[in-house]
Amino acid sequence: MPAPERIPAGSMTDLPSVPTVPKAPTVPVVDLLAKGELTVRGQVREASNAVLHCSVAHEGEEAFCVYKPVAGERPLWDFPDGTLAQREVAAYVLSEETGWGLVPPTVLREGPYGEGMVQLWIEADQGVNLLALTEDEEAGEGWKAVGPAQVGEDRTALLVHADSPDLRRLAVLDAVINNGDRKGGHLLPAPDGRLYAIDHGVTFNVDDKLRTLLWGWAGEELTAEATEVLDRLDTSLTPGTPLTTRLAELLTAAEVDALRGRVTRLRTTGRHPEPSGQWPAIPWPPV
């Protein structure tokens, strides 16, 4: 089997327009991704692991998707168990359990280069700005401050992110799944107004790994909605439930236990987590 990194492919700018899934498809999107025929269209060259752009077709429906074969993953010393692909699917499962739908439909399946994660391609609305730099000392209305950012040899600016309900929900989800890599490029505002988040391979570690650009609510009280969602998750994560049974197929027992513990801590504190100060709180590069 050839290594996924060696697939001859054009750049992303060479790809045709994206097929869209109808608003009322005859085939559920998850079934389309799981059962459809995958055709490799290109490769995302700048990705640190093999990321293939594909089309998927099944029973007359077609869409573009991302296929990340396990064979193209680079080993991570601090994630010795499982695969990036499994954690990507686990993040989707948790997102669906919250009811927020922040992660695009994602499945684990066989593809042209072996088992991997397949996720619906989301075309981002480039006109929506979720992150910005400002010369002001404080974030303006509609924005939350993250912290100072170096923008030149002798100049800094204030990094801010949008004060959006969906971003705040995502900050909670990231705390639950222990996301160690929430970068700006992982935030995809869709043309229909929805927010999607991608790249969840570095999640669910048993140690605290939270690194994110979404620190704007750090220390603030959780919303009533978030508290209700966490209460439901706590019940759903009881051993033997359908959720824990599904997660056991994707994560280790220790990772599921740690997940349950994070939900308990968030419910106990009632607040968004704050940086620990023991390691960089923001991933590098931030975008």
Side-chain angles (χ1 to χ4, degrees), residues 17-40:
S17 59
V18 179
T20 57
V21 177
K23 292 184 178 179
T26 58
V27 178
V29 176
V30 171
D31 286 349
L32 174 63
L33 296 173
K35 302 176 183 178
E37 180 180 356
L38 283 176
T39 301
V40 176

mmCIF file of all heavy atoms in Angstrom, residues 17-40:
data_model
loop_
_atom_site.group_PDB
_atom_site.id
_atom_site.type_symbol
_atom_site.label_atom_id
_atom_site.label_comp_id
_atom_site.label_asym_id
_atom_site.label_seq_id
_atom_site.Cartn_x
_atom_site.Cartn_y
_atom_site.Cartn_z
ATOM 1 N N SER A 17 -15.583 23.018 -7.695
ATOM 2 C CA SER A 17 -16.514 23.520 -6.686
ATOM 3 C C SER A 17 -17.049 22.367 -5.857
ATOM 4 O O SER A 17 -17.114 21.232 -6.299
ATOM 5 C CB SER A 17 -17.675 24.259 -7.363
ATOM 6 O OG SER A 17 -18.357 23.394 -8.238
ATOM 7 N N VAL A 18 -17.428 22.668 -4.619
ATOM 8 C CA VAL A 18 -17.807 21.640 -3.662
ATOM 9 C C VAL A 18 -19.245 21.192 -3.877
ATOM 10 O O VAL A 18 -20.159 21.999 -3.864
ATOM 11 C CB VAL A 18 -17.658 22.182 -2.226
ATOM 12 C CG1 VAL A 18 -18.070 21.137 -1.207
ATOM 13 C CG2 VAL A 18 -16.224 22.621 -1.977
ATOM 14 N N PRO A 19 -19.482 19.875 -4.069
ATOM 15 C CA PRO A 19 -20.858 19.395 -4.114
ATOM 16 C C PRO A 19 -21.513 19.613 -2.750
ATOM 17 O O PRO A 19 -20.881 19.411 -1.718
ATOM 18 C CB PRO A 19 -20.707 17.895 -4.405
ATOM 19 C CG PRO A 19 -19.321 17.722 -4.921
ATOM 20 C CD PRO A 19 -18.517 18.803 -4.281
ATOM 21 N N THR A 20 -22.728 20.049 -2.736
ATOM 22 C CA THR A 20 -23.411 20.281 -1.474
ATOM 23 C C THR A 20 -24.405 19.169 -1.207
ATOM 24 O O THR A 20 -24.987 18.599 -2.125
ATOM 25 C CB THR A 20 -24.161 21.626 -1.496
ATOM 26 O OG1 THR A 20 -25.083 21.626 -2.597
ATOM 27 C CG2 THR A 20 -23.186 22.781 -1.669
ATOM 28 N N VAL A 21 -24.584 18.868 0.069
ATOM 29 C CA VAL A 21 -25.594 17.894 0.460
ATOM 30 C C VAL A 21 -26.931 18.621 0.538
ATOM 31 O O VAL A 21 -27.033 19.662 1.171
ATOM 32 C CB VAL A 21 -25.253 17.283 1.839
ATOM 33 C CG1 VAL A 21 -26.341 16.323 2.281
ATOM 34 C CG2 VAL A 21 -23.918 16.563 1.772
ATOM 35 N N PRO A 22 -27.993 18.151 -0.124
ATOM 36 C CA PRO A 22 -29.286 18.832 -0.068
ATOM 37 C C PRO A 22 -29.772 19.003 1.366
ATOM 38 O O PRO A 22 -29.423 18.235 2.256
ATOM 39 C CB PRO A 22 -30.208 17.880 -0.847
ATOM 40 C CG PRO A 22 -29.299 17.082 -1.715
ATOM 41 C CD PRO A 22 -28.022 16.941 -0.939
ATOM 42 N N LYS A 23 -30.599 20.045 1.611
ATOM 43 C CA LYS A 23 -31.096 20.297 2.957
ATOM 44 C C LYS A 23 -31.932 19.129 3.457
ATOM 45 O O LYS A 23 -32.016 18.898 4.653
ATOM 46 C CB LYS A 23 -31.902 21.598 2.977
ATOM 47 C CG LYS A 23 -31.048 22.837 2.739
ATOM 48 C CD LYS A 23 -31.874 24.108 2.853
ATOM 49 C CE LYS A 23 -30.996 25.339 2.659
ATOM 50 N NZ LYS A 23 -31.790 26.593 2.755
ATOM 51 N N ALA A 24 -32.586 18.408 2.564
ATOM 52 C CA ALA A 24 -33.369 17.237 2.960
ATOM 53 C C ALA A 24 -32.896 16.043 2.136
ATOM 54 O O ALA A 24 -33.594 15.566 1.248
ATOM 55 C CB ALA A 24 -34.857 17.492 2.752
ATOM 56 N N PRO A 25 -31.664 15.561 2.408
ATOM 57 C CA PRO A 25 -31.114 14.483 1.593
ATOM 58 C C PRO A 25 -31.889 13.191 1.784
ATOM 59 O O PRO A 25 -32.433 12.926 2.846
ATOM 60 C CB PRO A 25 -29.682 14.344 2.116
ATOM 61 C CG PRO A 25 -29.744 14.841 3.525
ATOM 62 C CD PRO A 25 -30.768 15.934 3.504
ATOM 63 N N THR A 26 -31.931 12.385 0.712
ATOM 64 C CA THR A 26 -32.605 11.091 0.813
ATOM 65 C C THR A 26 -31.751 10.101 1.597
ATOM 66 O O THR A 26 -32.262 9.119 2.125
ATOM 67 C CB THR A 26 -32.896 10.538 -0.594
ATOM 68 O OG1 THR A 26 -31.659 10.431 -1.317
ATOM 69 C CG2 THR A 26 -33.833 11.471 -1.347
ATOM 70 N N VAL A 27 -30.440 10.367 1.677
ATOM 71 C CA VAL A 27 -29.518 9.523 2.429
ATOM 72 C C VAL A 27 -28.968 10.345 3.592
ATOM 73 O O VAL A 27 -28.444 11.436 3.380
ATOM 74 C CB VAL A 27 -28.350 9.047 1.544
ATOM 75 C CG1 VAL A 27 -27.366 8.207 2.354
ATOM 76 C CG2 VAL A 27 -28.864 8.267 0.354
ATOM 77 N N PRO A 28 -29.100 9.874 4.846
ATOM 78 C CA PRO A 28 -28.511 10.617 5.967
ATOM 79 C C PRO A 28 -27.034 10.874 5.729
ATOM 80 O O PRO A 28 -26.324 10.033 5.166
ATOM 81 C CB PRO A 28 -28.742 9.676 7.157
ATOM 82 C CG PRO A 28 -29.924 8.849 6.761
ATOM 83 C CD PRO A 28 -29.805 8.661 5.279
ATOM 84 N N VAL A 29 -26.557 12.054 6.145
ATOM 85 C CA VAL A 29 -25.172 12.437 5.878
ATOM 86 C C VAL A 29 -24.196 11.418 6.458
ATOM 87 O O VAL A 29 -23.209 11.062 5.821
ATOM 88 C CB VAL A 29 -24.895 13.843 6.440
ATOM 89 C CG1 VAL A 29 -23.420 14.199 6.260
ATOM 90 C CG2 VAL A 29 -25.765 14.881 5.743
ATOM 91 N N VAL A 30 -24.457 10.933 7.668
ATOM 92 C CA VAL A 30 -23.554 9.955 8.272
ATOM 93 C C VAL A 30 -23.507 8.678 7.445
ATOM 94 O O VAL A 30 -22.439 8.076 7.258
ATOM 95 C CB VAL A 30 -23.981 9.654 9.725
ATOM 96 C CG1 VAL A 30 -23.192 8.492 10.287
ATOM 97 C CG2 VAL A 30 -23.783 10.888 10.608
ATOM 98 N N ASP A 31 -24.651 8.239 6.903
ATOM 99 C CA ASP A 31 -24.666 7.061 6.035
ATOM 100 C C ASP A 31 -23.906 7.317 4.742
ATOM 101 O O ASP A 31 -23.203 6.434 4.233
ATOM 102 C CB ASP A 31 -26.102 6.652 5.717
ATOM 103 C CG ASP A 31 -26.794 5.984 6.893
ATOM 104 O OD1 ASP A 31 -26.105 5.654 7.875
ATOM 105 O OD2 ASP A 31 -28.030 5.806 6.832
ATOM 106 N N LEU A 32 -24.059 8.520 4.208
ATOM 107 C CA LEU A 32 -23.328 8.893 2.998
ATOM 108 C C LEU A 32 -21.832 8.781 3.231
ATOM 109 O O LEU A 32 -21.093 8.219 2.413
ATOM 110 C CB LEU A 32 -23.711 10.316 2.579
ATOM 111 C CG LEU A 32 -22.943 10.950 1.418
ATOM 112 C CD1 LEU A 32 -23.161 10.174 0.131
ATOM 113 C CD2 LEU A 32 -23.373 12.414 1.236
ATOM 114 N N LEU A 33 -21.362 9.288 4.372
ATOM 115 C CA LEU A 33 -19.939 9.248 4.685
ATOM 116 C C LEU A 33 -19.462 7.830 4.965
ATOM 117 O O LEU A 33 -18.351 7.449 4.586
ATOM 118 C CB LEU A 33 -19.651 10.126 5.902
ATOM 119 C CG LEU A 33 -19.901 11.629 5.747
ATOM 120 C CD1 LEU A 33 -19.733 12.324 7.091
ATOM 121 C CD2 LEU A 33 -18.976 12.249 4.717
ATOM 122 N N ALA A 34 -20.297 7.041 5.637
ATOM 123 C CA ALA A 34 -19.891 5.695 6.055
ATOM 124 C C ALA A 34 -19.949 4.679 4.923
ATOM 125 O O ALA A 34 -19.126 3.762 4.864
ATOM 126 C CB ALA A 34 -20.767 5.237 7.213
ATOM 127 N N LYS A 35 -20.923 4.819 4.024
ATOM 128 C CA LYS A 35 -21.162 3.799 3.010
ATOM 129 C C LYS A 35 -20.786 4.226 1.593
ATOM 130 O O LYS A 35 -20.698 3.385 0.694
ATOM 131 C CB LYS A 35 -22.640 3.405 3.024
ATOM 132 C CG LYS A 35 -23.123 2.872 4.364
ATOM 133 C CD LYS A 35 -24.616 2.605 4.335
ATOM 134 C CE LYS A 35 -25.136 2.136 5.687
ATOM 135 N NZ LYS A 35 -26.606 1.917 5.675
ATOM 136 N N GLY A 36 -20.587 5.518 1.381
ATOM 137 C CA GLY A 36 -20.342 6.013 0.038
ATOM 138 C C GLY A 36 -18.980 5.632 -0.515
ATOM 139 O O GLY A 36 -18.052 5.275 0.215
ATOM 140 N N GLU A 37 -18.864 5.705 -1.821
ATOM 141 C CA GLU A 37 -17.598 5.435 -2.497
ATOM 142 C C GLU A 37 -16.706 6.663 -2.404
ATOM 143 O O GLU A 37 -17.085 7.760 -2.835
ATOM 144 C CB GLU A 37 -17.841 5.077 -3.960
ATOM 145 C CG GLU A 37 -16.565 4.770 -4.728
ATOM 146 C CD GLU A 37 -16.820 4.423 -6.176
ATOM 147 O OE1 GLU A 37 -18.010 4.349 -6.577
ATOM 148 O OE2 GLU A 37 -15.837 4.215 -6.916
ATOM 149 N N LEU A 38 -15.512 6.481 -1.837
ATOM 150 C CA LEU A 38 -14.563 7.580 -1.671
ATOM 151 C C LEU A 38 -13.669 7.700 -2.901
ATOM 152 O O LEU A 38 -13.101 6.716 -3.368
ATOM 153 C CB LEU A 38 -13.682 7.357 -0.447
ATOM 154 C CG LEU A 38 -14.279 7.633 0.939
ATOM 155 C CD1 LEU A 38 -13.276 7.245 2.008
ATOM 156 C CD2 LEU A 38 -14.667 9.090 1.076
ATOM 157 N N THR A 39 -13.554 8.914 -3.413
ATOM 158 C CA THR A 39 -12.644 9.196 -4.522
ATOM 159 C C THR A 39 -11.720 10.322 -4.090
ATOM 160 O O THR A 39 -12.177 11.418 -3.758
ATOM 161 C CB THR A 39 -13.408 9.625 -5.784
ATOM 162 O OG1 THR A 39 -14.322 8.588 -6.159
ATOM 163 C CG2 THR A 39 -12.452 9.903 -6.930
ATOM 164 N N VAL A 40 -10.412 10.066 -4.075
ATOM 165 C CA VAL A 40 -9.440 11.076 -3.668
ATOM 166 C C VAL A 40 -9.342 12.152 -4.737
ATOM 167 O O VAL A 40 -9.143 11.861 -5.918
ATOM 168 C CB VAL A 40 -8.058 10.440 -3.412
ATOM 169 C CG1 VAL A 40 -7.022 11.514 -3.083
ATOM 170 C CG2 VAL A 40 -8.133 9.416 -2.289
#
